[in-house]
Amino acid sequence: MLSRWSASFTVTKGKSSTQEATGQAVSTAHPPTGKRLKKTPEKKTGNKDCKADIAFLIDGSFNIGQRRFNLQKNFVGKVALMLGIGTEGPHVGLVQASEHPKIEFYLKNFTSAKDVLFAIKEVGFRGGNSNTGKALKHTAQKFFTVDAGVRKGIPKVVVVFIDGWPSDDIEEAGIVAREFGVNVFIVSVAKPIPEELGMVQDVTFVDKAVCRNNGFFSYHMPNWFGTTKYVKPLVQKLCTHEQMMCSKTCYNSVNIAFLIDGSSSVGDSNFRLMLEFVSNIAKTFEISDIGAKIAAVQFTYDQRTEFSFTDYSTKEDVLAVIRNIRYMSGGTATGDAISFTVRNVFGPIRESPNKNFLVIVTDGQSYDDVQGPAAAAHDAGITVFSVGVAWAPLDDLKDMASKPKESHAFFTREFTGLEPIVSDVIRGICRDFLESQQ
């Protein structure tokens, strides 16, 4: 799909051809001196105050037509130019919505405005239905990948241009985009005229597809003519990062501590199954210094912090250290262990913007009270999931779990039954996270 682009744009030396294509005068009088070389790095870094990974999703349907399609490309080019594209600044890519969505170029393909402008000019009109919903879903799932040039900890944004109205359902696509941490902006142009309204599936499509229905993520232009005055206000929105609320997802904005029962009734091989359960939950999350954080405490009558939230910032390190946890063996004082974890593991990260979760895995009756310590954890804003195996009493599990109890407390007779609970806990964490963001 990208062979055409790589063929045209990986040639770094042949700068004059791209300059001619963008309509700039090329001076042939001067040989390439050091002066020109000095200028480029400075330009190439881009606008550091506007770090974002942006996909422009343009309308390429018969609804817009060839002439307005070209005006739309022209407008996108002006926005791209004003953003200040560069290695340290915003990166942009382009997707065309038509009968079938097509990724025209990815974030990693060009890091200079000049090359981006040339690539936009080269995009051909595809026609067909607009199918914006299908294109938005495709963009959320296939465009924003590490292989395609997505950068860690930088807001993912898709700017959707809609001429008139979408020809398919855009609400579901908006939900998918939010799950992937993509901030959806809708730029609507030329509202449907009264006689066209019958063809519009959902008149409130903009409100349902945007990242948040708060006015910030929607932008209207009356038509494609004289759009220059709309460039700057749109660029200002795209560079206001503190407003990008949809960058946060349950996968990158949570702190999860595991409280693991190391009592003698567990036994060494079952303890390994517990660690596997912990690993399988942990590996689902985007662990990094700016993303999700994981910690683990093992308990008997005693407690041992295996690692805290700030010890490891890569998934590989976290999974390696979980694998190497040594089994303690001893009694079962779960209440004390909860208090210890709240104080020593969650205490130091009180200022963290992430939402806090505690997952307790135990196989037996606690010798001490669990209700008081668990209530203190809930009051401290920690959502508790309790997972019981074998002889763990249901009353203890319910006393420890956050409300609603039935979706935060789990039980299995056998240690092998832990595996199916993994997805329940992950789903529960994501559900609770989303509710806390509303």
Side-chain angles (χ1 to χ4, degrees), residues 14-31:
K15 287 194 174 172
S16 57
S17 59
T18 45
Q19 277 185 318
E20 277 164 349
T22 52
Q24 291 172 342
V26 183
S27 165
T28 49
H30 304 287

Side-chain angles (χ1 to χ4, degrees), residues 166-415:
S167 55
D168 63 348
D169 176 32
I170 195 170
E171 182 181 3
E172 191 208 339
I175 293 166
V176 170
R178 287 193 288 279
E179 279 176 3
F180 278 88
V182 177
N183 296 274
V184 179
F185 274 83
I186 302 257
V187 177
S188 53
V189 187
K191 285 184 172 144
I193 53 175
E195 48 268 38
E196 289 172 335
L197 280 172
M199 291 187 260
V200 183
Q201 280 193 23
D202 188 348
V203 196
T204 59
F205 69 84
V206 171
D207 292 344
K208 290 179 176 171
V210 287
C211 161
R212 284 278 191 285
N213 177 14
N214 59 3
F216 179 78
F217 293 94
S218 46
Y219 195 66
H220 183 70
M221 301 193 301
N223 54 53
W224 288 110
F225 303 96
T227 54
T228 306
K229 60 178 177 288
Y230 298 107
V231 173
K232 194 176 177 185
L234 179 59
V235 167
Q236 282 168 337
K237 279 187 181 234
L238 298 179
C239 291
T240 314
H241 292 173
E242 58 278 12
Q243 295 267 20
M244 302 291 181
M245 296 123 134
C246 291
S247 299
K248 287 179 178 284
T249 69
C250 64
Y251 299 112
N252 66 20
S253 301
V254 292
N255 300 320
I256 308 168
F258 293 93
L259 190 49
I260 309 162
D261 187 342
S263 61
S264 35
S265 55
V266 174
D268 203 46
S269 60
N270 287 335
F271 187 71
R272 295 285 128 211
L273 291 173
M274 275 187 175
L275 294 184
E276 207 172 294
F277 170 76
V278 170
S279 278
N280 287 338
I281 294 173
K283 74 179 179 198
T284 310
F285 294 87
E286 292 169 28
I287 301 163
S288 75
D289 48 352
I290 49 167
K293 306 244 184 299
I294 307 286
V297 173
Q298 185 181 173
F299 72 97
T300 54
Y301 278 143
D302 240 348
Q303 305 85 28
R304 183 170 78 200
T305 303
E306 300 292 353
F307 60 98
S308 68
F309 288 124
T310 50
D311 287 345
Y312 303 101
S313 59
T314 73
K315 193 179 291 192
E316 295 71 36
D317 288 350
V318 166
L319 295 178
V321 78
I322 291 170
R323 258 197 313 275
N324 292 322
I325 290 175
R326 290 189 327 280
Y327 172 49
M328 281 166 75
S329 188
T332 313
T334 317
D336 267 358
I338 295 170
S339 301
F340 173 88
T341 307
V342 170
R343 189 172 60 248
N344 296 294
V345 176
F346 287 101
I349 54 136
R350 212 169 275 124
E351 300 305 307
S352 168
N354 288 2
K355 184 163 170 52
N356 292 326
F357 291 90
L358 174 61
V359 179
I360 303 167
V361 198
T362 180
D363 86 320
Q365 172 107 41
S366 177
Y367 294 121
D368 60 0
D369 167 57
V370 293
Q371 202 167 5
H378 302 159
D379 291 346
I382 301 163
T383 303
V384 180
F385 286 88
S386 58
V387 180
V389 193
W391 299 278
L394 220 49
D395 287 350
D396 273 12
L397 297 176
K398 282 186 174 162
D399 283 345
M400 293 187 289
S402 289
K403 289 177 180 160
K405 305 285 185 189
E406 56 279 5
S407 59
H408 290 84
F410 301 95
F411 178 78
T412 172
R413 291 226 164 278
E414 304 291 332
F415 280 88

